[in-house]
Amino acid sequence: DVSSPVQGASPGAGSVAPSSSPAAASNSSPAVVEPTSTPQNPGTPHSVPRTPSSFVKSRGSSVQPSPQRSDLGRRAANVRNNAAGGDVQMESSTDNPRTLIWGTNIEVQATKESARSFFQKFQEADGQDDAFLYLRLLDEAHLKKTFYINLDCTHVHTFDRTLYNKLVSYPTEIITIFDVVLSEIYAETYPDDSDSSANIQVRTYNMADVTCMRNLNPSDMDKLVSIKGMIIRTSNIVPDIQRAHFECLSCKTSEEVDIMNGRIQEPTVCKVCKASQSLEIKHNRCLFKDKQLIRLQEAPEDIPEGETPQTVNLCAFEDLVDVSKPGDRVTVTGIYRAMPMRVKAAQRSLKAVYKTYIDVIHFSRTEKGRMGESKEVHSDQAMDGGGYDERKAEREAKCRALAAEPDIYQKLIASFAPSIYEMDDVKKGLLCQLFGGSGGGKTGAAHGKFRGDINCLLVGDPGVSKSQLLQYVHKIAPRGIYTSGKGSSAVGLTAYVSKDPETRELVLESGALVLSDRGICCIDEFDKMGDSARAILHEAMEQQTISVAKAGIICSLNARTSILAAANPIQSRYNPQLSVVDNMNLPPTLLSRFDLIFLVLDQPNPASDRRLAKHLVSLYLREPPAANSIELDLETFADYVSFARSECHPVLQDDATTKLIDGYVQMRRMSTNKHTISATPRQLESIIRLAEAHAKMRLSETVEVEDVEEAIRLLKVATQSAATDPRTGKIDMDLITTGKSASSRQRMNDLIKTLRETIAQRSEASISFQALMDLLIQGPGVEVSTQELQSAVRQLKDDDFITTSGHGLNMNIVRIRA
């Protein structure tokens, strides 16, 4: 039963597919259970036939939606027929001629008049004269041939509180009446248009109250609810049948049967030739609608202390299918439904507890203070509210005005994590990571595909606000997961195989890196991550894909994410006498994939310590000091970054290209000898990405010389300071790429040569490890550590020059005679 949101009663021999609405128990159950759309009358039976719906050819096109809406259930057809003047069963009396919908207190004509008054007279608080919002949205829908209107529930709440309460209590009936009224207004406004008979659909969003997911209870059944959360899984598109086409094998007579109570009742006798059991379904002539099952997880801020996040099932229909992706943070508006479940598929008895789900009416992923997503993520605008073009033009004008200011770079730095004192260079690097490069658009056979995402690593002493910076980036990133190295496994970062609770099939669940696609994945305590989890990051950080071959599922998943990691040294505090690789337990192959490696050290300084203490104490005052005058508020800052990511794609100019080449060659010349490498082509690509990100901060379409100069400066401040050899003070990129500097390799070669000569000159064949160390110190005067001598002894043993017995300091060394 792939089209039901949860594993329910399996259809019998004559059934084809269940409905999206909470179906009744079916005719084969011992007791007829008929749900109603009104929570006030839970036992009121009704026999409203479910009318067929038209097939939606393509999502996002100008195809007219069908009158029958899957998200409102079968009862909506009854309400539509009555609101449009049809003849259906309604409550009425001779004393009171008002027409009420069965089982509710909704008077159809009065509700239509209230809805018409709202659509024709509502004006926004700051609107101009005669600027009626929904009439203008109707004009936009006519120009774009999009036959839906996004209805802000707060507008209804402001205009008519009674109508809003009815909308929340009886969404199936009220939204259907809204559809009829808007369709009538559309036909009246454009009588000569070819689409004058179009069926306009209303999508409600932005309710006055957003319900916490774990607070949904039986009193919310069949009511309009709004919940927030993160999408963790989406199913494949399911064809949900609405009308079945049967054909007689004897006389070829056709007969169409509409879905009823979630089942297609197969005709047993032909109406023409009276042949029994002669009708065969023709699937290619049936009518279907797109449907998708979605799993929504509770938002982290709504989870009580000590609890685990809860999930709820969603059903999306028609053009809402494939609008949301795993990892999106959304606000869902829909109708809360319940569905009976059989104890076993082969038995008629039902469980006492019903399965619940939500029929989605509207998705919204807009969230204040969080960056929007790039436009290539979701081109469909079904998740946006009304007035999209106006808001987009206003947003662009605001961002362009900010970019024109000469001190925009300093404003962005002051607005990024303002509670963290100084650390300007680190903030500049993380700002470049937020803006990102434009390398993702350079694809083709001529030059391949280049990574545009920037990876950053923060290394340093405890208590220097590394985790605070990660939290801030995670808070404003459009998509992304915040995780800890010790609590992350390889499958948790990539993908894992689990059994679908409805279909019992093996499905692939997305991990942290996949959920962070087109976003930023923040990993704290990076040094404590297991080796298997680290191995996964090699492919994700360079190729930006994750290859999976598990349980017969072989695929390559997109992981186009930036990695922001924070790590602590092995000895708790950073030892400047050791290299970055020696200070951290990280493989060099992983370190070399980071574009920027910042050393954040806690160095005592009375002047800076006093300034830091003054700033930190001011944050705890009852009246904290006023914000910096050039500081942008969080919403404006996030909006500016998201606009730059989606609309600005700078390209290199000739003068910037020349500066890039000269800067790279100059960095290569910083090496003192031919064995030392001070820069690699990977650093050149990092400079290009940083320069593109710096150009995005000004919304510039070209990368200029000043962008390249700032990128080279950032790389020298960050990565090359981490690649400085503590013995010589020279920059050696081999420290990051191989874990050993050129001077260390030369020192080891000299030690092996001296050790070989010392052992060969001795008359005795054997010597202890401690005696050998004393002999080296007293004789040639070589300063050697225990670890270096052990490495040299292992190298001589591999060369078959000596043999050893024992371990560590108790080792005995014997020369092999030729």
Side-chain angles (χ1 to χ4, degrees):
D1 185 4
V2 294
S3 64
S4 63
V6 286
Q7 182 67 28
S10 59
S15 64
V16 177
S19 163
S20 64
S21 302
S26 80
N27 297 333
S28 61
S29 60
V32 178
V33 180
E34 288 284 342
T36 178
S37 64
T38 61
Q40 286 82 356
N41 301 298
T44 306
H46 57 84
S47 57
V48 180
R50 180 164 184 159
T51 58
S53 62
S54 61
F55 175 68
V56 179
K57 295 181 181 178
S58 62
R59 296 182 300 279
S61 64
S62 60
V63 179
Q64 295 185 15
S66 61
Q68 172 71 14
R69 295 181 56 168
S70 298
D71 51 2
L72 299 182
R74 64 181 183 275
R75 186 176 175 85
N78 186 25
V79 179
R80 170 174 281 276
N81 290 338
N82 174 74
D87 182 19
V88 292
Q89 181 181 4
M90 293 288 158
E91 287 185 355
S92 62
S93 64
T94 57
D95 298 334
N96 187 1
R98 297 181 304 165
T99 303
L100 301 177
I101 298 177
W102 178 272
T104 72
N105 59 358
I106 299 176
E107 186 180 353
V108 176
Q109 193 59 34
T111 306
K112 285 184 64 178
E113 293 174 358
S114 300
R116 178 178 287 271
S117 175
F118 168 75
F119 288 126
Q120 292 181 338
K121 297 180 180 179
F122 178 79
Q123 289 179 289
E124 291 185 292
D126 55 349
Q128 301 176 357
D129 293 340
D130 299 329
F132 299 111
L133 174 62
Y134 290 96
L135 294 182
R136 178 170 55 81
L137 293 180
L138 208 59
D139 293 338
E140 293 180 5
H142 171 68
L143 294 176
K144 297 180 180 179
K145 299 300 180 183
T146 54
F147 300 98
Y148 61 84
I149 296 293
N150 292 306
L151 174 64
D152 194 332
C153 292
T154 57
H155 295 167
V156 184
H157 186 270
T158 304
F159 187 85
D160 189 342
R161 183 70 62 88
T162 303
L163 185 61
Y164 175 80
N165 293 335
K166 290 181 180 180
L167 173 64
V168 175
S169 299
Y170 310 108
T172 301
E173 293 79 8
I174 298 299
I175 294 178
T176 305
I177 293 176
F178 284 172
D179 292 350
V180 172
V181 171
L182 272 181
S183 300
E184 292 176 354
I185 296 175
Y186 186 86
E188 295 168 2
T189 309
Y190 308 101
D192 301 329
D193 192 84
S194 58
D195 297 322
S196 60
S197 60
N199 298 300
I200 307 296
Q201 289 189 0
V202 172
R203 293 180 182 156
T204 56
Y205 75 103
N206 195 18
M207 292 182 62
D209 298 321
V210 178
T211 308
C212 180
M213 189 180 298
R214 62 181 63 234
N215 291 339
L216 293 174
N217 52 56
S219 64
D220 296 318
M221 289 299 175
D222 290 312
K223 287 187 178 182
L224 193 67
V225 297
S226 180
I227 59 175
K228 294 171 61 177
M230 184 179 71
I231 293 176
I232 59 174
R233 185 182 153 210
T234 58
S235 70
N236 296 327
I237 298 177
V238 177
D240 193 19
I241 193 168
Q242 302 297 313
R243 177 189 296 173
H245 184 93
F246 292 92
E247 185 178 285
C248 181
L249 298 177
S250 301
C251 62
K252 303 300 180 182
T253 302
S254 299
E255 183 177 349
E256 292 186 345
V257 179
D258 298 330
I259 189 171
M260 184 67 178
N261 291 341
R263 299 169 65 89
I264 296 293
Q265 192 64 37
E266 181 182 356
T268 56
V269 179
C270 178
K271 294 181 179 179
V272 179
C273 64
K274 306 300 180 183
S276 178
Q277 306 295 337
S278 62
L279 292 168
E280 182 185 37
I281 189 171
K282 298 294 182 181
H283 293 88
N284 59 334
R285 300 188 66 182
C286 297
L287 296 181
F288 297 87
K289 279 188 177 180
D290 288 338
K291 176 182 176 181
Q292 188 178 36
L293 308 180
I294 301 171
R295 185 73 58 80
L296 186 74
Q297 183 175 284
E298 195 172 13
E301 58 269 15
D302 295 333
I303 303 175
E305 295 80 357
E307 298 286 343
T308 56
Q310 293 188 355
T311 59
V312 66
N313 292 320
L314 310 177
C315 286
F317 302 94
E318 301 184 51
D319 51 355
L320 288 179
V321 166
D322 270 351
V323 167
S324 58
K325 303 295 181 184
D328 286 343
R329 291 177 175 87
V330 297
T331 300
V332 179
T333 305
I335 303 176
Y336 194 43
R337 306 285 196 186
M339 178 179 179
M341 301 291 296
R342 286 188 177 182
V343 177
K344 292 183 179 180
Q347 295 181 0
R348 298 180 179 179
S349 57
L350 300 175
K351 293 182 180 179
V353 179
Y354 281 36
K355 289 289 185 180
T356 58
Y357 64 99
I358 294 177
D359 279 336
V360 178
I361 295 178
H362 188 275
F363 281 114
S364 176
R365 64 169 177 267
T366 56
E367 186 174 344
K368 293 184 179 180
R370 186 177 288 275
M371 289 161 44
E373 297 184 18
S374 303
K375 63 181 181 181
E376 59 263 28
V377 179
H378 302 310
S379 58
D380 193 349
Q381 297 171 3
M383 292 175 71
D384 296 313
Y388 175 80
D389 290 338
E390 249 188 43
R391 292 200 311 274
K392 183 179 179 181
E394 180 183 350
R395 170 197 183 202
E396 181 174 358
K398 183 178 179 181
C399 293
R400 296 288 181 189
L402 276 175
E405 298 181 6
D407 59 343
I408 181 61
Y409 192 32
Q410 298 302 323
K411 278 190 174 183
L412 292 174
I413 297 172
S415 305
F416 182 84
S419 62
I420 298 176
Y421 183 68
E422 292 184 344
M423 299 177 65
D424 287 347
D425 286 330
V426 178
K427 292 182 179 180
K428 290 175 183 178
L430 298 186
L431 264 178
C432 289
Q433 185 181 39
L434 282 177
F435 281 89
S438 55
K442 302 183 182 69
T443 56
H447 42 62
K449 181 180 179 181
F450 298 99
R451 170 167 64 94
D453 298 298
I454 299 173
N455 301 318
C456 296
L457 174 64
L458 306 181
V459 183
D461 299 326
V464 290
S465 68
K466 299 189 299 296
S467 298
Q468 293 295 325
L469 287 170
L470 263 66
Q471 288 282 4
Y472 188 86
V473 171
H474 172 67
K475 185 172 64 174
I476 65 174
R479 297 162 58 89
I481 301 295
Y482 184 93
T483 182
S484 176
K486 195 65 176 177
S488 303
S489 62
V491 293
L493 289 175
T494 56
Y496 59 95
V497 177
S498 64
K499 274 195 175 182
D500 187 271
E502 289 86 30
T503 62
R504 309 304 299 171
E505 296 178 354
L506 291 176
V507 294
L508 205 60
E509 298 281 359
S510 300
L513 292 175
V514 181
L515 290 176
S516 303
D517 189 31
R518 301 283 189 185
I520 298 178
C521 183
C522 301
I523 306 176
D524 204 356
E525 306 293 342
F526 192 62
D527 55 302
K528 299 176 181 62
M529 183 177 291
D531 294 337
S532 60
R534 286 201 200 113
I536 295 297
L537 295 175
H538 289 78
E539 180 187 1
M541 292 178 68
E542 197 62 41
Q543 281 75 36
Q544 296 196 301
T545 58
I546 291 176
S547 301
V548 177
K550 299 178 182 179
I553 302 175
I554 302 173
C555 62
S556 181
L557 305 174
N558 286 326
R560 297 161 293 186
T561 176
S562 300
I563 303 287
L564 175 57
N568 290 322
I570 296 177
Q571 301 175 357
S572 183
R573 295 191 66 86
Y574 192 86
N575 186 358
Q577 302 301 322
L578 301 177
S579 65
V580 176
V581 177
D582 294 332
N583 270 284
M584 294 185 304
N585 186 23
L586 291 177
T589 53
L590 191 60
L591 278 178
S592 63
R593 283 169 166 78
F594 284 100
D595 299 281
L596 296 174
I597 302 176
F598 287 102
L599 296 181
V600 189
L601 306 181
D602 185 11
Q603 298 175 341
N605 186 313
S608 61
D609 291 346
R610 181 172 294 277
R611 292 196 302 268
L612 174 61
K614 184 177 179 181
H615 169 77
L616 191 59
V617 171
S618 67
L619 299 178
Y620 288 85
L621 296 178
R622 178 175 299 178
E623 296 181 0
N628 195 338
S629 58
I630 66 171
E631 185 180 316
L632 303 176
D633 61 272
L634 182 59
E635 185 177 354
T636 304
F637 174 76
D639 201 33
Y640 185 84
V641 177
S642 62
F643 179 81
R645 284 174 64 98
S646 61
E647 302 295 335
C648 185
H649 304 284
V651 294
L652 288 170
Q653 294 298 310
D654 293 340
D655 52 350
T657 303
T658 304
K659 182 64 178 178
L660 266 173
I661 297 173
D662 294 342
Y664 175 68
V665 173
Q666 183 180 2
M667 290 169 61
R668 296 276 291 185
R669 288 176 180 171
M670 294 173 64
S671 58
T672 55
N673 55 64
K674 63 180 181 179
H675 301 293
T676 304
I677 299 176
S678 57
T680 65
R682 196 168 261 174
Q683 273 70 53
L684 178 60
E685 290 185 344
S686 298
I687 295 174
I688 295 174
R689 284 190 286 267
L690 292 171
E692 290 172 344
H694 192 267
K696 280 187 176 183
M697 296 184 193
R698 307 189 319 272
L699 298 185
S700 174
E701 295 298 332
T702 59
V703 177
E704 300 178 2
V705 175
E706 62 182 38
D707 302 318
V708 178
E709 291 176 348
E710 178 64 15
I712 294 176
R713 189 194 70 82
L714 267 180
L715 192 71
K716 289 181 178 179
V717 169
T719 305
Q720 290 198 347
S721 64
T724 301
D725 188 354
R727 292 181 180 272
T728 62
K730 304 294 184 181
I731 296 175
D732 189 355
M733 292 305 298
D734 284 352
L735 273 176
I736 295 179
T737 55
T738 65
K740 292 183 178 180
S741 63
S743 62
S744 298
R745 290 195 300 270
Q746 183 63 38
R747 176 183 171 82
M748 181 57 66
N749 292 334
D750 294 342
L751 178 61
I752 293 175
K753 182 180 178 181
T754 304
L755 188 61
R756 185 187 293 269
E757 294 175 354
T758 302
I759 295 177
Q761 293 173 0
R762 283 179 55 82
S763 58
E764 298 178 0
S766 64
I767 186 175
S768 66
F769 181 85
Q770 190 63 43
L772 181 61
M773 177 174 287
D774 296 339
L775 188 63
L776 287 173
I777 296 175
Q778 296 173 2
V782 179
E783 294 183 3
V784 60
S785 65
T786 303
Q787 291 79 9
E788 290 175 335
L789 183 57
Q790 288 176 343
S791 299
V793 168
R794 283 194 296 268
Q795 182 64 42
L796 289 178
K797 183 180 179 181
D798 294 338
D799 295 341
D800 292 333
F801 184 75
I802 60 174
T803 61
T804 61
S805 59
H807 301 282
L809 298 178
N810 298 323
M811 184 187 305
N812 190 43
I813 302 168
V814 180
R815 183 179 73 246
I816 300 177
R817 298 184 181 275

